Amino acid sequence: MTSVSVVGKPYTMHNLFLFAVMGYIICLPAQFDFGGAFRIAPSDLFLMLGLFAAGFHLKLDRRIFSSWHWGMLFIFVLASFVSIWRNGFITQYALLQKDIGFILLLLTYIMLVQAVDSWERLYKMLRFFLISVLLLNGVALFAFFSGVKVPFMVQDGRLSGMLIDPNAYGGLLVTAFAIHIMTSGEKIKLLRGWVSILATISLAGGIMMTFSRSSWIGLFLVLLTLLITKPSRLLKIGMGFGVAFIALLLYKGTAYLNVLESMSSRPSQIQSRLDIIDKAVDWIAQSPLLGIGLGSYNYELLIIIHNTPIWFLTEFGLLGLIVYGGFMIWFFIVGIRSYRAADPIHRPIIMALLLSHAAMIGLSMGIEALFQRYWWFMMAMNGACIRLTDKNLKGEMPYRTQHVERSTGRKLRQRAEQPQ
């Protein structure tokens, strides 16, 4: 098996690179809030370590870094200049959180894709992600049911994990749920036995307890897709949510049903979101093509729009929305291409990544989801699949591994041995 070793770097730097990548993935479900002033994500520290280990050897492969990626970078630069032209300056929030933050996400995407040199590596990275999410979700559920105050885990009666925001945490759980449920009944499983059963129940309970309507939209898209492609999985999902719901009522009592109803509806929040969109529509009418500039909405009203497409249309204009839409669609196109080219045994994991992407688009209807690191992890794994299924890939032949052979219980021939 050839390695994706950081080209031209010593073996120890290659190991450091892979260590940084795995550390990044494990820490994805966590960040620390310091009094609301700023937040630090441990994953970013591993990103810096990974970039240091890679040096100048990160590769831009046109198959996984398209013109849409460059287009996204362009519209962020353009929106920044629009903000300077409109306001006379660009806010620190827009420059640091949006511009530099987006560049870091692009570098993250490149780093993660480059780390995937085989199907074995891809499965391992996704398995570590699932286990990390399950461990932290277990702590969050413990804090929720026991009443023990664990920092960051519960916000205003809603499960928020270490992502602080219940909506962002709900998106994380739905993403993990899509990956888990799509691979749980296949030959290559990310989780096995009682761990798989426990994962279904705990993730279902966590998704419910976030009371995040945005993540529920994402979950609905996952269920709708499964209804069409894998209807048998819906029974397992129903059992998972049923067990979680019964456990909730047994612990909290039937009186908690009133709490569930009020937390799920929250009409005042719905009205607040509608007011935010109404104001955004006014500004869209003023500058429909290029928008009002990056960070302008937050500067004017000290709030964010809580809807990714509306945010793009407001601050980036119609041009920005078109580029954003093309960027999102590109991952579906790449995923479908790799799905068709992949061996049947690997197709479930590609479908799982497509499901997670659809779930995140659903989540983006309720929050500005583009800067969620775990979404970029899923996009990177989606992009990596096209490298693993591209028959014309030169210098790397990472199609079969001993680990996959052990997982399936049968000997699989190397793709490199097949006639081209």
Side-chain angles (χ1 to χ4, degrees), residues 106-125:
L106 283 179
L107 291 172
T108 300
Y109 173 82
I110 298 169
M111 181 183 78
L112 291 172
V113 172
Q114 186 163 318
V116 181
D117 64 338
S118 65
W119 288 109
E120 176 186 0
R121 182 84 66 195
L122 184 139
Y123 289 122
K124 183 177 181 180
M125 291 165 71

PDB file of all heavy atoms in Angstrom, residues 106-125:
ATOM      1  N   LEU A 106     -10.472  26.107   4.141  1.00  0.00           N
ATOM      2  CA  LEU A 106      -9.965  25.596   2.875  1.00  0.00           C
ATOM      3  C   LEU A 106      -8.680  24.792   3.078  1.00  0.00           C
ATOM      4  O   LEU A 106      -8.491  23.724   2.485  1.00  0.00           O
ATOM      5  CB  LEU A 106      -9.710  26.747   1.903  1.00  0.00           C
ATOM      6  CG  LEU A 106     -10.926  27.362   1.212  1.00  0.00           C
ATOM      7  CD1 LEU A 106     -10.496  28.513   0.302  1.00  0.00           C
ATOM      8  CD2 LEU A 106     -11.705  26.328   0.403  1.00  0.00           C
ATOM      9  N   LEU A 107      -7.788  25.322   3.928  1.00  0.00           N
ATOM     10  CA  LEU A 107      -6.559  24.587   4.230  1.00  0.00           C
ATOM     11  C   LEU A 107      -6.862  23.273   4.943  1.00  0.00           C
ATOM     12  O   LEU A 107      -6.206  22.249   4.701  1.00  0.00           O
ATOM     13  CB  LEU A 107      -5.631  25.456   5.086  1.00  0.00           C
ATOM     14  CG  LEU A 107      -5.012  26.671   4.386  1.00  0.00           C
ATOM     15  CD1 LEU A 107      -4.270  27.540   5.395  1.00  0.00           C
ATOM     16  CD2 LEU A 107      -4.084  26.235   3.265  1.00  0.00           C
ATOM     17  N   THR A 108      -7.861  23.300   5.823  1.00  0.00           N
ATOM     18  CA  THR A 108      -8.290  22.079   6.504  1.00  0.00           C
ATOM     19  C   THR A 108      -8.759  21.047   5.497  1.00  0.00           C
ATOM     20  O   THR A 108      -8.402  19.862   5.578  1.00  0.00           O
ATOM     21  CB  THR A 108      -9.425  22.395   7.489  1.00  0.00           C
ATOM     22  OG1 THR A 108      -8.973  23.323   8.465  1.00  0.00           O
ATOM     23  CG2 THR A 108      -9.912  21.134   8.178  1.00  0.00           C
ATOM     24  N   TYR A 109      -9.565  21.491   4.562  1.00  0.00           N
ATOM     25  CA  TYR A 109     -10.095  20.606   3.525  1.00  0.00           C
ATOM     26  C   TYR A 109      -8.960  19.944   2.748  1.00  0.00           C
ATOM     27  O   TYR A 109      -8.959  18.725   2.538  1.00  0.00           O
ATOM     28  CB  TYR A 109     -10.987  21.429   2.593  1.00  0.00           C
ATOM     29  CG  TYR A 109     -11.482  20.692   1.373  1.00  0.00           C
ATOM     30  CD1 TYR A 109     -12.593  19.854   1.442  1.00  0.00           C
ATOM     31  CD2 TYR A 109     -10.852  20.847   0.142  1.00  0.00           C
ATOM     32  CE1 TYR A 109     -13.059  19.190   0.319  1.00  0.00           C
ATOM     33  CE2 TYR A 109     -11.306  20.180  -0.985  1.00  0.00           C
ATOM     34  CZ  TYR A 109     -12.410  19.364  -0.891  1.00  0.00           C
ATOM     35  OH  TYR A 109     -12.860  18.699  -1.994  1.00  0.00           O
ATOM     36  N   ILE A 110      -7.972  20.737   2.341  1.00  0.00           N
ATOM     37  CA  ILE A 110      -6.838  20.201   1.583  1.00  0.00           C
ATOM     38  C   ILE A 110      -6.061  19.199   2.427  1.00  0.00           C
ATOM     39  O   ILE A 110      -5.679  18.119   1.950  1.00  0.00           O
ATOM     40  CB  ILE A 110      -5.918  21.346   1.116  1.00  0.00           C
ATOM     41  CG1 ILE A 110      -6.675  22.287   0.179  1.00  0.00           C
ATOM     42  CG2 ILE A 110      -4.684  20.792   0.416  1.00  0.00           C
ATOM     43  CD1 ILE A 110      -5.936  23.571  -0.116  1.00  0.00           C
ATOM     44  N   MET A 111      -5.816  19.548   3.691  1.00  0.00           N
ATOM     45  CA  MET A 111      -5.059  18.675   4.576  1.00  0.00           C
ATOM     46  C   MET A 111      -5.769  17.339   4.791  1.00  0.00           C
ATOM     47  O   MET A 111      -5.145  16.270   4.719  1.00  0.00           O
ATOM     48  CB  MET A 111      -4.825  19.367   5.922  1.00  0.00           C
ATOM     49  CG  MET A 111      -4.017  18.538   6.914  1.00  0.00           C
ATOM     50  SD  MET A 111      -3.835  19.333   8.538  1.00  0.00           S
ATOM     51  CE  MET A 111      -5.474  18.993   9.244  1.00  0.00           C
ATOM     52  N   LEU A 112      -7.060  17.384   5.030  1.00  0.00           N
ATOM     53  CA  LEU A 112      -7.806  16.163   5.306  1.00  0.00           C
ATOM     54  C   LEU A 112      -7.864  15.258   4.082  1.00  0.00           C
ATOM     55  O   LEU A 112      -7.724  14.033   4.187  1.00  0.00           O
ATOM     56  CB  LEU A 112      -9.217  16.508   5.781  1.00  0.00           C
ATOM     57  CG  LEU A 112      -9.322  17.158   7.167  1.00  0.00           C
ATOM     58  CD1 LEU A 112     -10.742  17.622   7.442  1.00  0.00           C
ATOM     59  CD2 LEU A 112      -8.869  16.190   8.255  1.00  0.00           C
ATOM     60  N   VAL A 113      -8.103  15.848   2.906  1.00  0.00           N
ATOM     61  CA  VAL A 113      -8.143  15.037   1.688  1.00  0.00           C
ATOM     62  C   VAL A 113      -6.797  14.388   1.436  1.00  0.00           C
ATOM     63  O   VAL A 113      -6.713  13.206   1.083  1.00  0.00           O
ATOM     64  CB  VAL A 113      -8.570  15.900   0.480  1.00  0.00           C
ATOM     65  CG1 VAL A 113      -8.422  15.101  -0.810  1.00  0.00           C
ATOM     66  CG2 VAL A 113     -10.003  16.368   0.629  1.00  0.00           C
ATOM     67  N   GLN A 114      -5.729  15.137   1.639  1.00  0.00           N
ATOM     68  CA  GLN A 114      -4.397  14.603   1.370  1.00  0.00           C
ATOM     69  C   GLN A 114      -4.051  13.459   2.317  1.00  0.00           C
ATOM     70  O   GLN A 114      -3.255  12.580   1.977  1.00  0.00           O
ATOM     71  CB  GLN A 114      -3.352  15.708   1.488  1.00  0.00           C
ATOM     72  CG  GLN A 114      -1.957  15.284   1.076  1.00  0.00           C
ATOM     73  CD  GLN A 114      -1.042  16.463   0.810  1.00  0.00           C
ATOM     74  OE1 GLN A 114      -1.448  17.444   0.198  1.00  0.00           O
ATOM     75  NE2 GLN A 114       0.181  16.377   1.287  1.00  0.00           N
ATOM     76  N   ALA A 115      -4.651  13.448   3.495  1.00  0.00           N
ATOM     77  CA  ALA A 115      -4.364  12.388   4.460  1.00  0.00           C
ATOM     78  C   ALA A 115      -4.986  11.055   4.068  1.00  0.00           C
ATOM     79  O   ALA A 115      -4.577  10.002   4.556  1.00  0.00           O
ATOM     80  CB  ALA A 115      -4.859  12.795   5.848  1.00  0.00           C
ATOM     81  N   VAL A 116      -5.983  11.078   3.180  1.00  0.00           N
ATOM     82  CA  VAL A 116      -6.691   9.852   2.803  1.00  0.00           C
ATOM     83  C   VAL A 116      -5.964   9.204   1.629  1.00  0.00           C
ATOM     84  O   VAL A 116      -6.116   9.619   0.481  1.00  0.00           O
ATOM     85  CB  VAL A 116      -8.158  10.147   2.427  1.00  0.00           C
ATOM     86  CG1 VAL A 116      -8.873   8.850   2.063  1.00  0.00           C
ATOM     87  CG2 VAL A 116      -8.879  10.840   3.573  1.00  0.00           C
ATOM     88  N   ASP A 117      -5.168   8.184   1.924  1.00  0.00           N
ATOM     89  CA  ASP A 117      -4.430   7.479   0.886  1.00  0.00           C
ATOM     90  C   ASP A 117      -5.015   6.106   0.588  1.00  0.00           C
ATOM     91  O   ASP A 117      -4.532   5.396  -0.284  1.00  0.00           O
ATOM     92  CB  ASP A 117      -2.960   7.342   1.276  1.00  0.00           C
ATOM     93  CG  ASP A 117      -2.779   6.491   2.529  1.00  0.00           C
ATOM     94  OD1 ASP A 117      -3.750   6.382   3.299  1.00  0.00           O
ATOM     95  OD2 ASP A 117      -1.682   5.952   2.739  1.00  0.00           O
ATOM     96  N   SER A 118      -6.058   5.719   1.307  1.00  0.00           N
ATOM     97  CA  SER A 118      -6.646   4.391   1.099  1.00  0.00           C
ATOM     98  C   SER A 118      -8.029   4.371   1.723  1.00  0.00           C
ATOM     99  O   SER A 118      -8.392   5.224   2.534  1.00  0.00           O
ATOM    100  CB  SER A 118      -5.778   3.313   1.749  1.00  0.00           C
ATOM    101  OG  SER A 118      -5.759   3.483   3.166  1.00  0.00           O
ATOM    102  N   TRP A 119      -8.799   3.378   1.333  1.00  0.00           N
ATOM    103  CA  TRP A 119     -10.109   3.201   1.959  1.00  0.00           C
ATOM    104  C   TRP A 119      -9.948   2.913   3.450  1.00  0.00           C
ATOM    105  O   TRP A 119     -10.757   3.344   4.268  1.00  0.00           O
ATOM    106  CB  TRP A 119     -10.863   2.045   1.292  1.00  0.00           C
ATOM    107  CG  TRP A 119     -11.356   2.363  -0.081  1.00  0.00           C
ATOM    108  CD1 TRP A 119     -10.891   1.872  -1.253  1.00  0.00           C
ATOM    109  CD2 TRP A 119     -12.419   3.266  -0.416  1.00  0.00           C
ATOM    110  NE1 TRP A 119     -11.592   2.407  -2.313  1.00  0.00           N
ATOM    111  CE2 TRP A 119     -12.542   3.256  -1.829  1.00  0.00           C
ATOM    112  CE3 TRP A 119     -13.279   4.074   0.330  1.00  0.00           C
ATOM    113  CZ2 TRP A 119     -13.485   4.026  -2.499  1.00  0.00           C
ATOM    114  CZ3 TRP A 119     -14.226   4.841  -0.338  1.00  0.00           C
ATOM    115  CH2 TRP A 119     -14.323   4.819  -1.731  1.00  0.00           C
ATOM    116  N   GLU A 120      -8.910   2.185   3.794  1.00  0.00           N
ATOM    117  CA  GLU A 120      -8.657   1.894   5.204  1.00  0.00           C
ATOM    118  C   GLU A 120      -8.521   3.181   6.010  1.00  0.00           C
ATOM    119  O   GLU A 120      -9.089   3.321   7.093  1.00  0.00           O
ATOM    120  CB  GLU A 120      -7.388   1.060   5.349  1.00  0.00           C
ATOM    121  CG  GLU A 120      -7.000   0.792   6.794  1.00  0.00           C
ATOM    122  CD  GLU A 120      -5.661   0.084   6.905  1.00  0.00           C
ATOM    123  OE1 GLU A 120      -5.037  -0.188   5.868  1.00  0.00           O
ATOM    124  OE2 GLU A 120      -5.256  -0.188   8.041  1.00  0.00           O
ATOM    125  N   ARG A 121      -7.747   4.133   5.467  1.00  0.00           N
ATOM    126  CA  ARG A 121      -7.554   5.393   6.165  1.00  0.00           C
ATOM    127  C   ARG A 121      -8.876   6.153   6.295  1.00  0.00           C
ATOM    128  O   ARG A 121      -9.185   6.718   7.341  1.00  0.00           O
ATOM    129  CB  ARG A 121      -6.539   6.247   5.406  1.00  0.00           C
ATOM    130  CG  ARG A 121      -6.235   7.582   6.088  1.00  0.00           C
ATOM    131  CD  ARG A 121      -5.185   7.437   7.142  1.00  0.00           C
ATOM    132  NE  ARG A 121      -3.913   7.079   6.534  1.00  0.00           N
ATOM    133  CZ  ARG A 121      -2.885   6.609   7.208  1.00  0.00           C
ATOM    134  NH1 ARG A 121      -2.987   6.421   8.517  1.00  0.00           N
ATOM    135  NH2 ARG A 121      -1.744   6.306   6.603  1.00  0.00           N
ATOM    136  N   LEU A 122      -9.664   6.150   5.230  1.00  0.00           N
ATOM    137  CA  LEU A 122     -10.940   6.860   5.265  1.00  0.00           C
ATOM    138  C   LEU A 122     -11.858   6.266   6.325  1.00  0.00           C
ATOM    139  O   LEU A 122     -12.481   6.993   7.112  1.00  0.00           O
ATOM    140  CB  LEU A 122     -11.601   6.812   3.891  1.00  0.00           C
ATOM    141  CG  LEU A 122     -12.910   7.601   3.742  1.00  0.00           C
ATOM    142  CD1 LEU A 122     -12.939   8.312   2.391  1.00  0.00           C
ATOM    143  CD2 LEU A 122     -14.126   6.687   3.854  1.00  0.00           C
ATOM    144  N   TYR A 123     -11.964   4.931   6.362  1.00  0.00           N
ATOM    145  CA  TYR A 123     -12.802   4.283   7.375  1.00  0.00           C
ATOM    146  C   TYR A 123     -12.292   4.586   8.785  1.00  0.00           C
ATOM    147  O   TYR A 123     -13.082   4.817   9.706  1.00  0.00           O
ATOM    148  CB  TYR A 123     -12.841   2.771   7.145  1.00  0.00           C
ATOM    149  CG  TYR A 123     -13.631   2.348   5.933  1.00  0.00           C
ATOM    150  CD1 TYR A 123     -13.043   1.599   4.909  1.00  0.00           C
ATOM    151  CD2 TYR A 123     -14.966   2.682   5.800  1.00  0.00           C
ATOM    152  CE1 TYR A 123     -13.767   1.209   3.799  1.00  0.00           C
ATOM    153  CE2 TYR A 123     -15.698   2.289   4.688  1.00  0.00           C
ATOM    154  CZ  TYR A 123     -15.091   1.560   3.693  1.00  0.00           C
ATOM    155  OH  TYR A 123     -15.815   1.188   2.587  1.00  0.00           O
ATOM    156  N   LYS A 124     -10.997   4.588   8.942  1.00  0.00           N
ATOM    157  CA  LYS A 124     -10.418   4.845  10.260  1.00  0.00           C
ATOM    158  C   LYS A 124     -10.734   6.264  10.725  1.00  0.00           C
ATOM    159  O   LYS A 124     -11.099   6.478  11.890  1.00  0.00           O
ATOM    160  CB  LYS A 124      -8.908   4.633  10.209  1.00  0.00           C
ATOM    161  CG  LYS A 124      -8.206   4.810  11.553  1.00  0.00           C
ATOM    162  CD  LYS A 124      -6.714   4.509  11.432  1.00  0.00           C
ATOM    163  CE  LYS A 124      -6.014   4.654  12.779  1.00  0.00           C
ATOM    164  NZ  LYS A 124      -4.561   4.358  12.670  1.00  0.00           N
ATOM    165  N   MET A 125     -10.617   7.225   9.833  1.00  0.00           N
ATOM    166  CA  MET A 125     -10.893   8.615  10.191  1.00  0.00           C
ATOM    167  C   MET A 125     -12.356   8.810  10.579  1.00  0.00           C
ATOM    168  O   MET A 125     -12.672   9.479  11.565  1.00  0.00           O
ATOM    169  CB  MET A 125     -10.491   9.528   9.032  1.00  0.00           C
ATOM    170  CG  MET A 125      -8.986   9.591   8.819  1.00  0.00           C
ATOM    171  SD  MET A 125      -8.462  10.307   7.229  1.00  0.00           S
ATOM    172  CE  MET A 125      -8.888  12.035   7.476  1.00  0.00           C
TER     173      MET A 125
END
